[in-house]
Amino acid sequence: MAPMVVALILVPPPSLSLHPSQRVSLGDNVTLCCHLPQPAAWVRLYRYKNTTYIEQKDKEERMAEFSLAGIKPQDAVRYQCQYQGLEPPGTSK
Ligand SMILES: *[C@@H]1O[C@H](CO)[C@@H](O)[C@H](O)[C@H]1NC(C)=O
Ligand SMILES: *[C@@H]1O[C@H](CO)[C@@H](O)[C@H](O)[C@H]1NC(C)=O
């Protein structure tokens, strides 16, 4: 059997911040900002450990903003963002 070649392209991870970062009340609108270390083909927002993304933004340079309107108790979870870099084209969460 031929050996399997796995090409791993590593791109630096993005970071996520919440605005406003404090005193968020039920019903408020908040923005999650995914900060990108490099330009992205697309950026996706996920609930932590959920493989279905909430929203995707295409062609972002430095930051992708995701708005969550009317915060409910069930929105108080961890979130993750993932992007696909343009060059190199690896993805990182
Ligand atoms: C949230 O945004 C909606 C429009 O998207 C607006 O009607 C509403 O007043 C906003 N709520 C708060 C608490 O700012
Ligand atoms: C996973 O995320 C999707 C998109 O936001 C949502 O519709 C679904 O209810 C979530 N599933 C769980 C188990 O939280």
Side-chain angles (χ1 to χ4, degrees):
M1 209 165 84
M4 190 162 71
V5 177
V6 178
L8 261 188
I9 300 170
L10 297 175
V11 298
S15 66
L16 200 53
S17 63
L18 174 68
H19 304 276
S21 60
Q22 290 182 329
R23 289 189 248 285
V24 174
S25 303
L26 294 178
D28 284 356
N29 299 334
V30 299
T31 304
L32 284 161
C33 297
C34 183
H35 303 268
L36 304 165
Q38 61 185 60
W42 52 253
V43 186
R44 292 173 181 167
L45 182 72
Y46 296 82
R47 285 169 165 260
Y48 190 59
K49 291 187 173 167
N50 181 331
T51 53
T52 309
Y53 62 85
I54 301 169
E55 197 181 347
Q56 173 173 325
K57 306 267 187 194
D58 294 319
K59 298 197 189 82
E60 299 286 353
E61 291 284 323
R62 311 169 69 87
M63 188 175 79
E65 292 188 357
F66 298 94
S67 298
L68 300 181
I71 288 298
K72 295 180 283 297
Q74 56 266 37
D75 295 323
V77 296
R78 293 170 68 90
Y79 291 84
Q80 254 186 340
C81 68
Q82 180 185 39
Y83 77 99
Q84 166 128 44
L86 286 174
E87 197 59 51
T91 61
S92 179
K93 251 187 190 176

